[in-house]
Amino acid sequence: MSVSDKEKEEIEKSSAPLIEHLIELRRRLIWSLGGFFVAFLVCFFFAKRLFNLLVVPFKWATQWAGLDPHKVELIYTAPQEFFFTQVKLAMFGGMVIAFPLIATQIYKFIAPGLYKNERSAFLPFLIASPILFLMGASLVYFFFTPMVMWFFLAMQQVGTNDQVQISLLPKVSEYLSLIMTLIFSFGLVFQLPVVTSLLTRVGLLSSQALAEKRKWAIVLSFVVAAVLTPPDPMSQCGLAIPTIILYEVAIWSSRMIERAQARDRLAREQAEAGNSVASDPDASST
């Protein structure tokens, strides 16, 4: 099989000495770490405001429970706890803010080693990934966290003659860990259509294989939800159900990709057949 001049040119562009790859990798790492460090400093400067923003779902939960949202109180039991909580929050926020820059640097590093059609196929998924992550984070912030906190607030006990007063006073570090775990879990789960679509496009996965493994995927969704979420049925179902829905979306997107690939393959075969007929006038005359 002969290689066209255009394909030879792409191969020559994608090949480079090892030292050039290492220099390019160092440059991309510097840009990524620099972007993360700047985003970390900005988030640390506004750490208290960001934390107060994350407490808003807790206030919504108190309203659902019929309590006064102005009396929401969180505590810390060690002198350094709130400081390290702010550091952790700044790291998490810095990673979220710097993710588009980091993803862009990763793409620029691997793009020269890809063919033109591979680069055009990879770019849409690079755009869809942060959008889906934000969708998962928004679901956690506006619905799931208030629902979980309302569930926990409902366990409080009002003090009477026969009962002691039992009130929920979350620690700042534990509340941040809870909401960060939920955001990370949902954001990761929402990447399922992106991952399966990429694997389907490169031929490592098919919609038929996904459909055949549907039962196992449902069981695995509940297992993963039990590991990643707090130990209550509401949290586990709240993560497992969207995961199952996204799995069905992944099957649908894989089928769409397979159909598009089949159409492109048919069009390419027809074009090659037309070129072969045009290049052989004797065959066309017969």
Side-chain angles (χ1 to χ4, degrees):
M1 180 181 291
S2 61
V3 181
S4 63
D5 294 337
K6 187 175 181 180
E7 291 178 344
K8 289 181 179 179
E9 184 179 353
E10 288 190 4
I11 294 174
E12 291 177 357
K13 288 182 179 179
S14 63
S15 60
L18 177 61
I19 188 65
E20 294 185 11
H21 285 299
L22 294 177
I23 294 173
E24 181 70 12
L25 178 61
R26 183 184 65 177
R27 186 193 316 169
R28 300 304 174 190
L29 286 175
I30 291 174
W31 274 101
S32 300
L33 293 175
F36 169 74
F37 184 70
V38 172
F40 169 80
L41 292 179
V42 173
C43 291
F44 185 76
F45 182 78
F46 295 102
K48 289 185 178 180
R49 296 184 181 180
L50 291 174
F51 191 84
N52 289 327
L53 186 64
L54 293 178
V55 176
V56 172
F58 190 13
K59 294 182 178 180
W60 293 340
T62 58
Q63 289 181 329
W64 295 359
L67 303 174
D68 186 2
H70 300 290
K71 294 183 178 180
V72 171
E73 183 180 0
L74 288 86
I75 62 172
Y76 60 97
T77 58
Q80 74 280 6
E81 181 179 347
F82 190 43
F83 171 76
F84 285 112
T85 299
Q86 294 180 68
V87 172
K88 187 186 298 185
L89 177 59
M91 293 180 63
F92 183 75
M95 182 59 69
V96 172
I97 294 175
F99 177 79
L101 174 63
I102 296 173
T104 301
Q105 297 303 315
I106 294 174
Y107 174 75
K108 287 183 178 181
F109 178 72
I110 65 175
L114 302 175
Y115 290 112
K116 185 177 180 180
N117 60 336
E118 293 175 337
R119 292 194 295 268
S120 61
F122 186 78
L123 189 59
F125 298 105
L126 188 64
I127 298 174
S129 182
I131 294 176
L132 289 173
F133 184 88
L134 290 177
M135 290 175 60
S138 299
L139 180 62
V140 170
Y141 185 85
F142 290 103
F143 176 72
F144 196 66
T145 299
M147 182 181 65
V148 171
M149 295 309 298
W150 170 78
F151 176 80
F152 292 144
L153 283 169
M155 297 181 178
Q156 293 185 125
Q157 182 173 285
V158 179
T160 62
N161 293 331
D162 299 329
Q163 297 177 342
V164 297
Q165 177 76 24
I166 300 177
S167 301
L168 175 62
L169 290 176
K171 295 172 60 177
V172 291
S173 58
E174 293 177 350
Y175 179 79
L176 180 64
S177 298
L178 172 64
I179 195 168
M180 283 175 52
T181 300
L182 292 175
I183 290 176
F184 178 76
S185 301
F186 275 76
L188 189 64
V189 166
F190 269 66
Q191 303 304 310
L192 183 60
V194 174
V195 175
T196 54
S197 298
L198 277 173
L199 294 176
T200 301
R201 187 175 288 275
V202 299
L204 297 177
L205 198 62
S206 65
S207 59
Q208 182 179 357
L210 289 172
E212 292 175 352
K213 301 297 189 298
R214 181 183 282 110
K215 295 181 180 179
W216 292 101
I218 293 174
V219 175
L220 186 61
S221 299
F222 282 95
V223 172
V224 172
V227 174
L228 296 179
T229 59
D232 63 274
M234 186 176 297
S235 301
Q236 296 172 8
C237 293
L239 181 59
I241 293 175
T243 304
I244 296 171
I245 295 175
L246 288 169
Y247 190 83
E248 297 297 329
V249 173
I251 295 176
W252 175 82
S253 62
S254 297
R255 287 173 178 168
M256 295 298 102
I257 292 174
E258 289 172 348
R259 291 175 184 175
Q261 289 177 339
R263 289 194 297 266
D264 294 341
R265 185 166 54 252
L266 180 60
R268 187 166 56 251
E269 291 175 354
Q270 291 177 348
E272 292 176 354
N275 292 334
S276 62
V277 171
S279 61
D280 191 359
D282 296 335
S284 61
S285 61
T286 58

